[in-house]
Amino acid sequence: MTSLSLKGIRKSYGTLPVIKGVDLTIDSREFVVFVGPSGCGKSTLLRMIAGLESITAGDLEIGGKRMNDVDPSKRGIAMVFQSYALYPHMTVRDNMGFALRFAGKPKDEIARQVAEAARILELGPLLDRLPGQLSGGQRQRVAIGRAIVRHPDVFLFDEPLSNLDAELRVHMRIELARLHRELQATIIYVTHDQVEAMTLADKIVVLREGEVSQVGTPLQLYDDPDNLFVAGFIGSPKMNFLAGEVVDSGAGSATIALVNHGGVRLTKPLGGRLPQKGERITIGIRPEHFGEAGEGTDIVLNVDVAEHLGSTTYVYANAGGEQLIIEREERHMGDTDTLAVSISPEAALLFDSAGKRLR
Amino acid sequence: MNFAPLRRAGVYVFLSLAAFISVFPFYWMAVGSTNQSVDIVRGKLGFGGNLLVNFQHLMSQVDLYRVFGNSFLIAIISTVLTLAISSLAGYGFEMFRSRIRERIFELLLLLLSIPFAALMVPLFVMISRAQLTNTFTAVILPGIASIFMIFYFRQATKAFPRELRDAARVDGLKEWQIFLYVYMPTMRSTYAAATIIVFMNAWNNYLWPLIVLQTPDNKTITLVISTLTAAYTPDYGVILLTTVLATAPTLIIFFVLQRQFVQGMLGAVK
């Protein structure tokens, strides 16, 4: 298998820049997920790696070779598309063997490769059907099979599960994880669904407006986001954000007043830059990190709705115009109108007015 | 008062009338081909027993095999070339980005507004200078780059999934291979609909062949029908029989391809 490196990759349509300088290294056998909101350039970046979009500037190397101007079929990649892109007039067998046919492989070799891919994906009984006669999940498996038969160095997946229903998506997600383990392949996977990113990835690349916002393992991004965008994007339910103002700063800590909660104070030890007194700060806290009242900085919230999911309960509450989600372990919250919770300094993440993390 | 039944009755009357107006000429043509000229002039509306006689008369006046051969040859070659060129152009216009693409396309659409009558004389001069008069090439050549068909194929190509082209590129196909092995089979409904339209136009074409085809051995079926009507005492039975024969191929093609025709006109990509 093969590693990839992107050095200062840029893409512009005329004067409009869409990828604004991406530097990234993807190791062999790594499952890397590009994630980000619609229009952030993740699919464009994937298509640039595939050779379906030209690279305006920078270097793309696959297996140590510069691939900027190499034909897509000669880059050692295979791609699975969002709409599956199966040739509608060909049977599953022909779809899977099509690339090999054009690569000039002998018929018995093609048949062997197709049979092997069909075995891995349990497509045997469907080989003589047309794509129109298959369900969404089956089509997706054929699209993956078409990629497998080529034995590519790198698999590229462009939002492959977004056309499937919720149940099938979970099933295919597990299938993909199994496939990655079985094939030991380098995979680059694009999705806007952060749950897919968290569950599948060895490494997540969060993109925003054509730039890499942060790269890291799923838990790194979850526990230790670099900025407000990543903190808000990764995690479901989302991280809560509370407005704060620095009232004291010095000696390795900052004291923040929660402006929408009666000015209650939170003192957070910081190792890096200390914010100025009076500076506006955003405090981020995950729904599961709120403590019982009395354990830290207490705030009182008005409960809107409590969702009982069985194992856990999500409380949707508000205070001072801020909407918050709190995860509780109690199965029954009762008909409480208010809820007192605490924020511990360890659980609270601070972000400056530019959205950059203060550590 | 409930007007619904009345409205429904009105719709039925209107549709029946429209159906009658559409079908009656075909019925009359079929009936006429089995009757003598005198019966047709008298307005006889039932089938007669003169079909074989009319056929014998027709065969004695016209080299039917040759005429049909000419018409088929022109229509088939015209259809194949028009479809090939127009679909290539439509594909190109839709698939490739260019700053001047839309300007060129608008210019082409503007050319659609020039009536054929205005083009006839310069076209004839060109054909004549190229020494192509009285050849099938002269009939076929001016029609094969049909602007309407380019427009039709471009519109239809908008429904062609671009990811299929991307998938084919990743699979190692060159652009012409994508066109041949992916685009054409995927767009077969569009091609079927275009085949009917282009074949019918080529088969029924009268004015231009009349101008460029000069010797009887090159005449097409539409020209022969007009020759038959030009006789001092036209034999309507023979004329209507020829019309039946001339209509048959287009009807057959329509019935064979009608399902794809409807899909193609709706822009379906399956």
Side-chain angles (χ1 to χ4, degrees):
Chain A
M1 286 298 157
T2 311
S3 62
L4 255 97
S5 98
L6 285 74
K7 294 174 188 164
I9 292 282
R10 287 175 186 277
K11 171 80 186 171
S12 302
Y13 292 114
T15 55
L16 179 76
V18 287
I19 300 291
K20 301 166 186 169
V22 170
D23 293 290
L24 189 66
T25 306
I26 296 166
D27 294 330
S28 179
R29 297 177 187 177
E30 208 168 24
F31 197 129
V32 175
V33 175
F34 292 172
V35 71
S38 295
C40 69
K42 54 192 187 296
S43 284
T44 306
L45 190 59
L46 191 81
R47 289 171 61 81
M48 287 161 79
I49 295 170
L52 297 172
E53 295 281 352
S54 62
I55 296 170
T56 309
D59 291 315
L60 166 71
E61 290 180 5
I62 301 176
K65 288 180 198 144
R66 192 173 183 275
M67 289 287 176
N68 285 41
D69 304 312
V70 176
D71 193 74
S73 63
K74 297 191 171 65
R75 293 187 179 205
I77 54 108
M79 189 158 171
V80 177
F81 294 87
Q82 185 176 0
S83 66
Y84 322 127
L86 299 177
Y87 306 119
H89 55 289
M90 292 181 203
T91 61
V92 168
R93 189 190 305 279
D94 292 340
N95 260 287
M96 285 164 68
F98 196 56
L100 300 182
R101 201 178 114 200
F102 277 88
K105 300 271 187 218
K107 276 186 180 171
D108 54 341
E109 163 82 4
I110 296 172
R112 202 173 53 73
Q113 299 280 10
V114 170
E116 174 61 12
R119 184 192 62 74
I120 294 170
L121 295 160
E122 295 164 15
L123 286 169
L126 308 176
L127 281 176
D128 294 315
R129 291 207 200 159
L130 290 169
Q133 298 166 320
L134 304 177
S135 69
Q138 288 168 335
R139 283 182 210 187
Q140 187 54 265
R141 297 218 305 274
V142 176
I144 295 169
R146 192 169 64 178
I148 287 177
V149 293
R150 300 184 55 205
H151 292 290
D153 297 325
V154 183
F155 284 88
L156 307 176
F157 288 86
D158 188 6
E159 306 210 26
L161 308 186
S162 58
N163 285 350
L164 304 179
D165 62 49
E167 197 181 334
L168 202 53
R169 207 178 303 163
V170 174
H171 174 73
M172 284 305 295
R173 217 163 62 200
I174 297 163
E175 285 281 301
L176 282 171
R178 182 183 66 81
L179 205 67
H180 177 233
R181 205 177 52 230
E182 199 168 319
L183 298 175
Q184 292 287 301
T186 309
I187 294 179
I188 306 177
Y189 187 103
V190 162
T191 181
H192 63 267
D193 182 344
Q194 54 90 23
V195 177
E196 268 172 40
M198 292 292 286
T199 50
L200 287 170
D202 295 324
K203 184 157 85 185
I204 296 178
V205 179
V206 183
L207 288 155
R208 187 193 188 191
E209 293 174 0
E211 287 174 306
V212 174
S213 209
Q214 191 176 352
V215 181
T217 65
L219 290 181
Q220 270 170 1
L221 297 190
Y222 188 82
D223 295 335
D224 194 18
D226 280 348
N227 52 57
L228 205 59
F229 174 75
V230 174
F233 194 80
I234 300 290
S236 178
K238 286 175 71 167
M239 182 181 274
N240 296 291
F241 294 117
L242 297 93
E245 187 181 324
V246 180
V247 289
D248 192 20
S249 179
S253 71
T255 302
I256 322 295
L258 305 185
V259 294
N260 294 321
H261 301 273
V264 292
R265 294 180 178 201
L266 174 87
T267 302
K268 169 91 179 170
L270 293 170
R273 180 181 86 81
L274 290 173
Q276 302 285 311
K277 196 174 170 187
E279 190 177 329
R280 290 279 174 182
I281 292 286
T282 302
I283 299 148
I285 180 161
R286 297 260 174 223
E288 68 275 21
H289 289 160
F290 284 101
E292 297 294 334
E295 291 176 355
T297 303
D298 289 358
I299 55 172
V300 179
L301 307 167
N302 303 311
V303 175
D304 293 324
V305 179
E307 281 182 350
H308 302 289
L309 301 181
S311 61
T312 188
T313 300
Y314 290 123
V315 182
Y316 294 81
N318 73 84
E322 282 172 348
Q323 291 291 327
L324 304 176
I325 306 170
I326 299 104
E327 188 180 332
R328 309 293 285 189
E329 283 181 7
E330 297 100 308
R331 289 174 68 107
H332 299 288
M333 286 292 297
D335 288 332
T336 54
D337 288 336
T338 58
L339 177 69
V341 291
S342 73
I343 302 168
S344 70
E346 298 77 42
L349 308 178
L350 303 190
F351 301 93
D352 67 14
S353 53
K356 204 166 176 313
R357 174 84 180 278
L358 296 168
R359 288 189 166 95
Chain B
M1 194 178 162
N2 187 4
F3 286 101
L6 209 62
R7 197 179 303 137
R8 203 175 170 79
V11 168
Y12 274 107
V13 169
F14 175 75
L15 291 178
S16 303
L17 202 66
F20 177 77
I21 291 168
S22 306
V23 174
F24 182 74
F26 288 96
Y27 171 77
W28 188 71
M29 182 176 77
V31 164
S33 68
T34 65
N35 283 319
Q36 292 180 48
S37 195
V38 61
D39 290 332
I40 296 164
V41 173
R42 278 186 195 140
K44 185 184 172 191
L45 289 175
F47 284 95
N50 218 43
L51 178 66
L52 286 177
V53 178
N54 286 342
F55 192 69
Q56 279 164 2
H57 285 176
L58 174 63
M59 292 298 276
S60 66
Q61 291 172 55
V62 178
D63 183 353
L64 206 58
Y65 295 116
R66 186 169 191 108
V67 167
F68 262 91
N70 292 345
S71 277
F72 267 116
L73 198 68
I74 290 171
I76 290 169
I77 294 174
S78 291
T79 306
V80 170
L81 290 179
T82 307
L83 259 58
I85 289 169
S86 307
S87 60
L88 269 169
Y91 178 84
F93 269 117
E94 191 51 35
M95 287 295 176
F96 299 105
R97 291 191 206 122
S98 158
R99 246 177 283 172
I100 56 163
R101 174 178 76 169
E102 295 308 321
R103 301 290 88 75
I104 295 174
F105 197 68
E106 283 161 14
L107 194 68
L108 278 182
L109 290 184
L110 203 66
L111 292 177
L112 261 183
S113 61
I114 302 175
F116 182 69
L119 297 173
M120 243 162 28
V121 175
L123 210 54
F124 183 77
V125 173
M126 279 169 68
I127 292 291
S128 167
R129 282 193 186 153
Q131 297 183 328
L132 289 172
T133 42
N134 202 30
T135 65
F136 292 159
T137 311
V139 183
I140 295 164
L141 208 55
I144 57 174
S146 157
I147 298 170
F148 174 73
M149 275 296 133
I150 293 171
F151 174 72
Y152 170 73
F153 270 102
R154 184 185 177 180
Q155 292 306 110
T157 306
K158 287 183 195 294
F160 176 73
R162 287 186 175 246
E163 286 195 342
L164 281 185
R165 180 167 170 249
D166 292 338
R169 284 176 67 194
V170 173
D171 279 346
L173 275 73
K174 303 269 178 289
E175 200 65 50
W176 69 268
Q177 290 171 318
I178 295 172
F179 183 82
L180 204 63
Y181 295 109
V182 179
Y183 176 83
M184 286 181 77
T186 306
M187 304 296 283
R188 60 183 183 278
S189 300
T190 305
Y191 277 95
T195 300
I196 293 175
I197 297 167
V198 176
F199 185 89
M200 267 171 61
N201 275 343
W203 182 267
N204 293 332
N205 196 1
Y206 172 71
L207 188 57
W208 182 242
L210 180 71
I211 295 166
V212 288
L213 297 180
Q214 287 145 356
T215 55
D217 58 332
N218 275 346
K219 297 277 180 197
T220 61
I221 190 77
T222 46
L223 297 182
V224 164
I225 293 171
S226 81
T227 320
L228 292 172
T229 55
Y232 187 63
T233 49
D235 187 335
Y236 291 117
V238 172
I239 293 167
L240 287 173
L241 176 62
T242 319
T243 319
V244 168
L245 293 173
T247 311
T250 51
L251 277 181
I252 291 166
I253 285 184
F254 181 79
F255 284 122
V256 169
L257 298 175
Q258 73 172 323
R259 197 166 62 88
Q260 286 93 330
F261 178 75
V262 174
Q263 279 175 3
M265 294 312 279
L266 291 173
V269 176
K270 280 208 161 183

